[in-house]
């Protein structure tokens, strides 16, 4: 049985931890609102741009002269998986779920006979991917300097990915991140960003009438396709920022509750141990008095 001193030290230690987790929960809750507003505000533009890309692509015949980001390399052998995670931990299963979804996709591609490479954007995805896919990591992008996500940060990643694509480093790129649904729910999401997925038809693209473009569709696509990749990565980073804070807030709330439960259990144990010690002392005093 633990001594009274050891139990008291343990209770004080847990109380100190509880204060930290409570403070972290409050900080995450404060940051969540701003991150959520940024993520929600960025969705309409990214979604609309995807529809514009699909609409333009539906109006041209994809061929050798088409932009490479639309036409592809003509192969489907090498797939790049961009894994966007956070730079900090203590966020529950947020990072784990993203990496798990990316690894599941990688296993499916390998089973289909494809070659898989990883592009890591975020510190918390490195450990697992280096442990299981060390030889498949193409690049590890440093994101630790980012405090508030900006489009310039996403463009750096997009320009690097596009340059590797133009150099023949891979044929298809998939982006994995966590879509923010609510403070309680963050959905691991994967989407193909290179080449742009071709639409099934006008119904799928949302096109409802005849539209004339100036300049021609291919010229517009050549300019918008690189921007679309950057926008989709920017959207992923914004969604991740909100999801991270929501997941951390829940994790710290659970930790605070668990600390409270542990303090209650340790307090009961401390009181019982103290009572047993007092009872033992009383018995010894009474026995000594009777002996005299």
């Amino acid at each position: 049985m633990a001594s009274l001193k050891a139990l008291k030290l343990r209770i004080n230690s847990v109380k100190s931890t509880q204060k930290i987790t409570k403070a972290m929960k409050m900080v995450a809750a404060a940051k969540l609102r701003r991150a959520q507003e940024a993520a929600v505000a960025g969705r309409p533009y990214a979604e609309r741009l995807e529809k514009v890309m699909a609409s333009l692509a539906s109006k041209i015949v994809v061929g050798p002269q088409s932009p490479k980001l639309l036409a592809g390399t003509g192969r489907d052998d090498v797939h790049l998986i961009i894994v966007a995670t956070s730079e900090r931990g203590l966020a529950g299963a947020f990072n784990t779920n993203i990496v798990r979804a990316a690894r599941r996709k990688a296993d499916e591609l390998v089973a289909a006979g494809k070659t898989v490479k990883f592009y890591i954007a975020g510190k918390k995805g490195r450990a697992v991917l280096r442990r299981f896919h060390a030889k498949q990591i193409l690049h590890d992008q440093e994101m630790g300097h980012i405090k508030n996500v900006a489009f310039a940060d996403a463009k750096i990643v997009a320009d690097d990915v596009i340059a590797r694509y133009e150099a023949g480093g891979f044929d298809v790129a998939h982006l994995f991140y966590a879509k923010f649904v609510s403070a309680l729910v963050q959905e691991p999401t994967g989407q193909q960003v290179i080449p742009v997925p071709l639409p099934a038809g006008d119904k799928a693209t949302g096109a409802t009438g005849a539209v004339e473009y100036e300049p021609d569709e291919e010229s517009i696509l050549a300019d918008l396709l690189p921007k679309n990749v950057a926008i989709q990565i920017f959207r992923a980073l914004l969604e991740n920022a909100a999801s991270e804070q929501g997941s951390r807030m829940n994790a710290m709330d659970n930790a605070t509750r668990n600390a409270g439960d542990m303090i209650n259990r340790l307090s009961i144990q401390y009181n019982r141990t103290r009572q047993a010690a007092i009872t033992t002392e009383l018995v010894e005093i009474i026995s000594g008095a009777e002996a005299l």
Side-chain angles (χ1 to χ4, degrees), residues 34-279:
R34 183 184 301 175
Q36 180 180 353
E37 290 175 352
V40 172
R43 287 175 186 170
Y45 185 82
E47 293 172 355
R48 186 59 182 169
L49 186 57
E50 280 187 307
K51 292 180 180 180
V52 170
M53 293 295 97
S55 177
L56 288 169
S58 68
K59 310 215 180 277
I60 67 173
V61 178
V62 178
Q65 303 302 321
S66 301
K68 194 175 181 181
L69 288 173
L70 174 66
T73 62
R75 301 183 302 275
D76 186 30
D77 300 327
V78 182
H79 289 248
L80 179 70
I81 297 181
I82 306 170
V83 184
T85 57
S86 69
E87 287 291 316
R88 299 170 182 82
L90 299 177
F94 164 70
N95 293 297
T96 303
N97 290 337
I98 297 174
V99 174
R100 183 182 293 117
R103 292 188 60 209
R104 189 181 301 117
K105 178 66 175 180
D107 292 340
E108 293 175 359
L109 292 171
V110 171
K114 311 296 182 182
T115 300
V116 174
K117 297 181 180 179
F118 288 94
Y119 189 105
I120 305 173
K123 179 180 177 180
K124 289 303 174 179
R126 296 172 188 167
V128 175
L129 293 177
R130 284 179 177 176
R131 186 183 310 131
F132 296 101
H133 307 280
K135 296 182 179 179
Q136 297 169 273
I137 296 176
L138 180 65
H139 182 67
D140 186 353
Q141 180 67 33
E142 179 61 41
M143 308 286 283
H145 62 283
I146 301 175
K147 292 184 178 180
N148 297 315
V149 178
F151 178 72
D153 303 316
K155 194 172 186 303
I156 291 174
V157 176
D159 290 345
D160 186 28
V161 170
I162 292 173
R164 295 174 186 275
Y165 176 69
E166 297 287 350
F170 58 92
D171 302 316
V172 182
H174 308 270
L175 175 62
F176 279 84
Y177 61 96
K179 182 179 180 180
F180 179 82
V181 179
S182 68
L184 297 175
V185 181
Q186 302 86 34
E187 295 180 351
T189 304
Q191 68 178 101
Q192 180 178 319
V193 291
I194 299 177
V196 173
L198 293 176
D202 282 353
K203 184 177 180 180
T205 66
T208 57
V211 179
E212 293 184 1
Y213 295 95
E214 179 65 32
D216 60 272
E217 292 88 344
E218 291 193 2
S219 299
I220 297 175
L221 281 170
D223 183 59
L224 287 184
L225 283 169
K227 185 174 183 180
N228 177 60
V229 176
I231 288 295
Q232 300 309 322
I233 293 177
F234 182 44
R235 174 191 180 184
L237 295 180
L238 290 176
E239 296 280 355
N240 266 5
S243 298
E244 177 189 354
Q245 299 303 332
S247 183
R248 179 173 291 115
M249 185 182 72
N250 290 325
M252 293 302 101
D253 181 56
N254 291 333
T256 302
R257 293 172 183 270
N258 292 338
D261 294 340
M262 182 176 291
I263 290 171
N264 291 335
R265 291 196 299 269
L266 289 172
S267 297
I268 292 173
Q269 185 179 354
Y270 176 83
N271 291 334
R272 287 177 177 174
T273 303
R274 183 170 177 271
Q275 185 178 5
I278 293 173
T279 302

